[in-house]
Amino acid sequence: MAQAQWWQRGIFYQVYPRSFQDTNDDGIGDLDGIRARLDYLVELGIDAVWISPIFPSPMADFGYDVADYCGIDPMFGDLDAFDRLIEAAHARRLKIVLDFVPNHTSDQHPWFLESRASRENPRRDWYIWRDPAADGGPPNNWMSNFGGPAWTLDPASGQYYYHAFLTQQPDLNWRNPAVRAAMHDVLRFWMARGVDGFRVDVIWHLMKDADFRDNPPNPEYEPGDPDIRRFIQSRSTDQPDVHAIIAELRGVIDEYDDRVLIGEIYLPIDRLVAYYGENLEGAHLPFNFQLIHASWNAPHLAALIAEYDGAVPEGGWPNWVLGNHDQPRIASRIGARRARVAAMLLLTLRGTPTMYYGDEIGMENVPIATEDAQDPWEKNEPGLGLGRDPERTPMQWDASPYAGFTNGRPWLPLAADFTTRNVAVQLEQPASLLGLYRELIALRRPHPVLHAGTYRKITALGDVLVFLRESAEECVLVALNLAGTVQDDIPLPPDTHGRVLASTERDREERVEGHLSLRPYEGVIVALDATA
């Protein structure tokens, strides 16, 4: 792809800093730990490190309750440690992307302490305050994403404040120009320190219905579902005027050269792609989570790939994600063997892939005992399986005590299999998942068609998905078997001839001459002769 930006041709890797590498033996990862593992990331082949929140916080929601947007929480280090990380990353040609949490602050943020001090405080309107309903209850029926009403009464002032998440996470009022100006300055602060971009948390939440009308009931809600499913969030999220707010954020990003704006958005495809903005003045990459919620059969995958690929606006750039800190790990969702096929799919689709730490070694959800639970969502709505601790457990580096993550007691339990499933072991295993990830990532560089070529479905029958990636220079065929049975006589285009570039089993180099068979849970990439 001519003149591709780094965020178009590169691969992003999410680090959950509490769980990546601890260097001071307190059982919690830190910035120096990330810096110590940069060479691993370079050898893996990734291009950008996205770091979940590291700002000062009471940690009610593990950093997503920010008390100071321009500092570093002491558990992770300090600004000097951050500067060292930036310098070390840039020396290795790695980019650093920060999590930006603009929808809400901590209730301990100085802005909110002022806001709740009195109705007359100059910062009162920096947050969303409303009078009680006629019966004295919450102003409307909006629910918190973490359970219960999204409104908390402040007895001193007699008004409710809105929080889309925890009570300790009051939402900012983005209709207030002073709020927007302050948050724009936060972006500038970090970009001046060398940050290469931001992943914006819950970007579709930033604007709310101006009249605070009730959300409509969700006809699909069933007893036992989380509270947030009681109503359709059509008034509390995804408002039309959010796009002007995002265009302003993008304008600040564009004040600096070569930066990227990524938006976290859990919406259907037709609404997701609106976040590219009018004339592409919105997010560079509205996160596409379709694979996280997909049914892993060929017809469903083919349909969602085609729908998304066709919906990305002209000039917009697609992206794909298999997992993150809020979702069960891919190996647990679809099985360890099928996760290898998922890796090949992720790294052969048009656009920018984002990986989640540990997925490259097949880390799975770790069962968390009730007494060990840390996640506030699990504590607020226990027993519904909503806790996110299982996918946030420490990175498994080696077979030493605590998996090489720490010399202290880890903040979350380790997987029972860490002595056999870890980086050190897989580096010595030619057929390992880590080896496969490294091979697939390396393959993208000499074959830019894999990130920039057009997509064309060939076959999507039952458990077999076959598609082409095409450009003027080359054509590559990708064939994936999602089942645990052999697939013979896979339909291929007439006169398909080529050379196997990669297999999920890492043991095939033969030529394909009009016929292809796949072993259970096997995927292959074939460079076709016409353009190979």
Side-chain angles (χ1 to χ4, degrees), residues 362-380:
M363 285 178 61
E364 299 181 7
N365 287 2
V366 177
I368 304 296
T370 301
E371 62 270 20
D372 292 327
Q374 304 284 333
D375 185 15
W377 196 1
E378 173 66 22
K379 293 180 179 180
N380 284 359

Side-chain angles (χ1 to χ4, degrees), residues 292 322-333 365 385 387 390-391:
I292 289 179
L322 281 181
N324 61 37
H325 63 294
D326 288 330
Q327 304 296 332
R329 285 194 177 271
I330 182 66
S332 293
R333 295 202 312 270
N365 287 2
E391 59 261 24

Side-chain angles (χ1 to χ4, degrees), residues 250 254 274 276-283 313-316:
R250 172 66 178 274
D254 288 347
Y276 285 101
E278 187 174 355
N279 300 317
L280 301 179
E281 294 175 349
E314 185 176 356

